[in-house]
Amino acid sequence: MRRRTVTAGNLDEILQATAPAPAAEQAAAAPAPAAPPPREDHGLRTEFEFELPRGYVDEAGTVHRHGAMRLATARDELRPQIDLRVKENPAYLSVVLLSQVITRIGPITDVHAGIVERMYATDVAFLQDFYRRVNSEGHTRAAVTCPHCEGGFEVDLSGGRLGES
């Protein structure tokens, strides 16, 4: 940075040279800020809706069956490894992991380990399978075979009641 010696004689000249331009002149002289590029849809689905077989019962006794789970990140998979609850009881890993990737259950958006702990075992098992499907296979469809006609077809595990396709 260059220093400049200011004397009483040239102070006015320096103030005029360094004074900010009026707003109208600044708007005309300054280029418009570039608009952010439009987001491209790459077809990557990062959140998946689900319907619990039994449903989470909150403190008020309301049953919540519909929810959403996002794709897991590497951090989501690593963070439970340093959790003290998981170190004390390795079976707790799935509770911590599910609480990180479930984005909502009904209107509840603050899903934490305490909520997953209070779920029925059938719902936790469903969510574990759902997690595995969306994070390893990238979809919620499962190939099944009809026990009567031996015909094969796909069902979407993300919603619908049992027996519906």
Side-chain angles (χ1 to χ4, degrees):
M1 182 173 190
R2 211 173 102 181
R3 291 186 176 199
R4 182 179 234 181
T5 305
V6 178
T7 63
N10 67 356
L11 181 60
D12 289 333
E13 177 185 312
I14 293 171
L15 289 175
Q16 285 178 350
T18 58
E25 289 178 20
Q26 281 182 346
R39 282 190 149 180
E40 293 182 34
D41 182 14
H42 297 287
L44 178 63
R45 187 172 169 199
T46 60
E47 191 167 89
F48 298 84
E49 300 282 324
F50 61 80
E51 184 175 340
L52 296 172
R54 299 225 186 266
Y56 168 69
V57 181
D58 65 14
E59 294 83 18
T62 307
V63 178
H64 306 286
R65 296 189 67 207
H66 298 277
M69 179 186 291
R70 66 172 173 78
L71 287 176
T73 63
R75 176 175 279 168
D76 293 327
E77 298 259 346
L78 294 171
R79 187 176 291 154
Q81 301 297 329
I82 60 171
D83 192 298
L84 293 177
R85 299 168 294 186
V86 174
K87 286 183 178 183
E88 290 175 7
N89 181 3
Y92 202 74
L93 183 133
S94 64
V95 171
V96 175
L97 186 57
L98 288 173
S99 70
Q100 292 181 152
V101 296
I102 296 172
T103 57
R104 71 175 169 77
I105 297 176
I108 303 166
T109 57
D110 181 25
V111 180
H112 50 82
I115 289 177
V116 178
E117 285 176 350
R118 291 189 301 268
M119 288 183 172
Y120 294 111
T122 53
D123 289 335
V124 173
F126 168 84
L127 289 169
Q128 289 171 329
D129 184 57
F130 192 74
Y131 174 91
R132 184 186 54 77
R133 286 192 178 280
V134 300
N135 285 289
S136 62
E137 299 173 18
H139 59 78
T140 59
R141 295 179 308 278
V144 295
T145 304
C146 176
H148 299 292
C149 70
E150 304 288 324
F153 57 96
E154 283 188 345
V155 292
D156 187 355
L157 298 176
S158 65
R161 298 192 185 276
L162 295 175
E164 293 180 357
S165 58

